[in-house]
Amino acid sequence: MDVVEGFWVRVSTPLPQLPTAVLVGALVAAGAVVLAPALWRPARTVVTIAHEGAHGLVALAAGRRLSGIRLHSDTSGLTVSAGRPTGPGMVLTCAAGYTGPALFGLGAAALLAAGHAVGLLWALLGLLALLLVQIRNWYGLWAVLATGAVVLAVTGWLPPSGQAAFAAAGTWFLLLAAPKTVLELQRARRRRAAPDSDADQLARLTRLPAVLWVGFFLLVDVGALLLGGWWLLG
């Protein structure tokens, strides 16, 4: 009980606010990863994990049965769920992918602004553990385990201030990366390289134009970036 109590105190105790210089430094570092092609390519797998994880969480919340998640080395992914092929549950599940990383980032920004950086990292480990049991291919297994190992190392080896700085960089990364993936989606759609994208599936489900769904994704992601940035820096 003492161990559990000590762990809970460690996770739930608010930390002092990070200095603005550290938050701005984390923003610059995250922006460099998003903008540099050599860094973006491997880091994009983290966005795919959040994307497919959001599909899975919303599918379960909508009463669908989750059959498995696959992550691929080209940074694409696939979440399979069973249930009605149409209706609100399917629409929400499809819409969750491109908005999920931004909303995860917004939630992380709220926790950081409240001083709960350590709790944020442990919550992330819990979500990765839940995702792990749904992974159905070797690359996906490796990607989730590697991401979890990095977060676990940070929680075990860095002091609370270092954990907070890492959490800030990860939060900025999700907030900045989410809109970029939507722009990549639209570029692929213009080349007719993504006929079964989330936006096109939503168009078939709702009879609203796919480009309208792309605009919705972008609106949510940019809104989350602006609000999350205000919480962190305002």
Side-chain angles (χ1 to χ4, degrees):
M1 289 299 295
D2 288 342
V3 173
V4 173
E5 199 172 304
F7 173 77
W8 176 250
V9 169
R10 176 188 173 195
V11 169
S12 61
T13 301
L15 299 176
Q17 289 287 345
L18 283 170
T20 301
V22 174
L23 289 169
V24 172
L27 169 60
V28 171
V33 173
V34 171
L35 293 175
L39 298 175
W40 171 244
R41 171 76 182 188
R44 198 186 187 287
T45 297
V46 175
V47 187
T48 305
I49 290 173
H51 179 116
E52 301 302 331
H55 277 314
L57 282 174
V58 174
L60 291 173
R64 300 179 63 80
R65 182 169 56 83
L66 195 58
S67 302
I69 295 173
R70 292 176 177 269
L71 307 172
H72 304 132
S73 58
D74 63 355
T75 73
S76 65
L78 177 66
T79 298
V80 179
S81 63
R84 287 186 58 194
T86 59
M90 190 62 188
V91 170
L92 290 172
T93 299
C94 285
Y98 280 97
T99 57
L103 295 178
F104 284 140
L106 185 62
L111 288 174
L112 273 177
H116 293 296
V118 175
L120 168 60
L121 294 179
W122 281 99
L124 176 57
L125 284 171
L127 290 173
L128 288 171
L130 292 174
L131 178 64
L132 191 63
V133 301
Q134 293 294 337
I135 295 295
R136 296 294 183 266
N137 67 326
W138 286 109
Y139 181 82
L141 181 67
W142 174 86
V144 175
L145 286 175
T147 304
V150 170
V151 178
L152 186 61
V154 168
T155 61
W157 294 341
L158 292 184
S161 58
Q163 294 180 48
F166 176 86
T171 299
W172 281 121
F173 173 74
L174 287 176
L175 291 172
L176 293 170
K180 181 171 182 177
T181 61
V182 178
L183 297 177
E184 290 177 343
L185 165 67
Q186 184 57 20
R187 284 197 295 269
R189 291 188 66 257
R190 279 203 302 264
R191 299 195 306 269
R192 300 184 184 280
D196 292 317
S197 71
D198 291 354
D200 291 282
Q201 291 183 54
L202 284 163
R204 291 191 286 270
L205 287 166
T206 64
R207 301 191 181 186
L208 295 174
V211 69
L212 188 63
W213 284 105
V214 173
F216 170 74
F217 297 157
L218 191 60
L219 180 64
V220 171
D221 291 354
V222 172
L225 171 60
L226 294 175
L227 182 57
W230 172 256
W231 285 347
L232 291 174
L233 297 176

